[in-house]
Amino acid sequence: MQTRRIRWHIAVFLAPAVLVYTAVMILPLFNTLRLALFTEVDQARVYVGLENFRTLFLDPLWSAQFWNALGNNFWFFLIHMLVQNPIGIALAAILSHPRLRFAALYRSAIFIPTILSFVIVGFAWKLILSPLWGIAPSMLDAVGLKSLFAPWLGKEEYALTTLALVSVWQFVGIPMMLIYAALLSIPEEILEAGEIDGITGASAFWKIKLPLILPSIGIISILTFVGNFNAFDLIYVSQGALAGPDFSTDILGTFMYRTFFGFQLQLGDPYMGSAIAGAMFAIILVGVCVYLFGIQTRMRRYQL
């Protein structure tokens, strides 16, 4: 009986990446979770177990800020799911049409904002939307819609939605390219068989292409969920650490930053900041697990 040979070269090639990832991601993660179990009393570290989490969830001083940031995070994520991903799928379907001219140019133009710095995007859109020197009022005035303009980044009811749409503009190229790649991977034989049965045009997309790219859409949904609950940069650049106006754009990332490092008159508390980071990790982990369980359940039903 021939023994199975161990492929040591795989471990050798993976080792550097695993070591780097462990050093810069895994160890800091566990150290942050460990730090959430302590607090400082008389300049000494004291173990308090889950007391920091109880304070975060139940203490009125902390819970109001936490639930406000969590609700804003969910709204931020919902806009991306309902606006960014459908637009990305639609763009991919259009750009994958074999008869479309200059498709490569369009793909590049849509994807370019994705590689721009958050600082550039944040400041650029602050200048565009400024009621004093921005070009948005004059552009709306040119088409007779100046009455619709408002200081969207300065009003509590509009600020978070405006920033979410800016983020959609920046990152719509990611789902577009992923879905585009999935559409190109569909075998031509399947599409030709559909044409023989009279399934062409838009009906071919809904009846043939869309069911085949559902796994890719599921991956995009997970990436959108994780990315939006780790969001920080755009809010910080555009609205500052206080996430104004009046914390209306505050999300878990900015809340954790203010708590951990301190800001202006607020002293930093690394223990409560670690508790917020631990809550963020738990939310992301539970969300991803629930989504994967749902996908697995659907696949089992499909096989049955």
Side-chain angles (χ1 to χ4, degrees):
M1 183 176 179
Q2 188 176 5
T3 59
R4 192 172 182 178
R5 200 173 80 180
I6 301 176
R7 300 179 179 179
W8 293 106
H9 65 281
I10 297 178
V12 172
F13 289 136
L14 288 177
V18 171
L19 291 175
V20 172
Y21 188 81
T22 301
V24 302
M25 295 293 294
I26 303 299
L27 292 180
L29 170 64
F30 281 102
N31 189 51
T32 300
L33 297 177
R34 181 185 63 84
L35 199 62
L37 304 178
F38 293 84
T39 191
E40 185 174 336
V41 178
D42 296 331
Q43 297 183 345
R45 182 180 295 183
V46 178
Y47 177 80
V48 293
L50 299 178
E51 183 65 21
N52 288 334
F53 292 96
R54 189 200 68 80
T55 301
L56 180 64
F57 298 142
L58 302 177
D59 190 320
L61 183 64
W62 290 93
S63 62
Q65 298 182 69
F66 174 78
W67 296 116
N68 172 65
L70 181 60
N72 289 340
N73 244 136
F74 271 110
W75 178 246
F76 197 76
F77 161 71
L78 190 63
I79 290 177
H80 282 77
M81 282 294 295
L82 297 180
V83 179
Q84 173 185 276
N85 292 350
I87 291 178
I89 295 171
L91 290 173
I94 295 172
L95 295 177
S96 64
H97 196 283
R99 296 181 181 177
L100 180 66
R101 299 179 63 186
F102 308 114
L105 177 63
Y106 300 144
R107 289 197 308 270
S108 301
I110 296 172
F111 191 78
I112 281 176
T114 304
I115 63 177
L116 294 178
S117 167
F118 284 101
V119 178
I120 295 175
V121 172
F123 277 107
W125 278 98
K126 283 192 70 175
L127 293 175
I128 291 172
L129 300 176
S130 172
L132 298 178
W133 52 75
I135 63 173
S138 58
M139 290 180 64
L140 290 175
D141 188 28
V143 294
L145 298 175
K146 189 175 181 179
S147 59
L148 298 178
F149 179 78
W152 292 303
L153 292 179
K155 288 192 172 184
E156 296 180 23
E157 59 269 29
Y158 300 138
L160 183 63
T161 302
T162 301
L163 289 174
L165 293 176
V166 170
S167 179
V168 166
W169 168 83
Q170 183 179 10
F171 291 109
V172 71
I174 294 178
M176 179 198 71
M177 293 303 293
L178 292 175
I179 296 299
Y180 178 78
L183 290 173
L184 292 184
S185 66
I186 297 176
E188 287 293 332
E189 294 80 3
I190 297 178
L191 300 178
E192 291 173 359
E195 290 180 0
I196 294 174
D197 293 334
I199 305 175
T200 59
S203 60
F205 175 79
W206 291 106
K207 295 180 180 180
I208 300 176
K209 295 180 180 180
L210 185 61
L212 293 175
I213 63 173
L214 283 179
S216 297
I217 295 176
I219 294 174
I220 291 171
S221 301
I222 294 176
L223 294 176
T224 303
F225 179 79
V226 174
N228 283 276
F229 272 85
N230 281 322
F232 167 77
D233 312 71
L234 183 63
I235 305 294
Y236 181 79
V237 170
S238 302
Q239 305 297 88
L242 293 179
D246 195 24
F247 301 103
S248 60
T249 59
D250 196 22
I251 57 176
L252 292 174
T254 52
F255 179 41
M256 189 269 291
Y257 173 85
R258 290 195 313 274
T259 303
F260 199 106
F261 298 103
F263 187 76
Q264 293 182 352
L265 299 179
Q266 179 180 347
L267 296 177
D269 187 345
Y271 305 103
M272 286 301 299
S274 298
I276 298 171
M280 293 173 62
F281 174 74
I283 292 169
I284 294 173
L285 183 63
V286 170
V288 171
C289 290
V290 169
Y291 191 83
L292 292 177
F293 178 77
I295 291 178
Q296 187 178 14
T297 302
R298 290 178 184 177
M299 290 181 64
R300 288 178 178 175
R301 290 178 181 176
Y302 179 77
Q303 290 175 354
L304 292 175

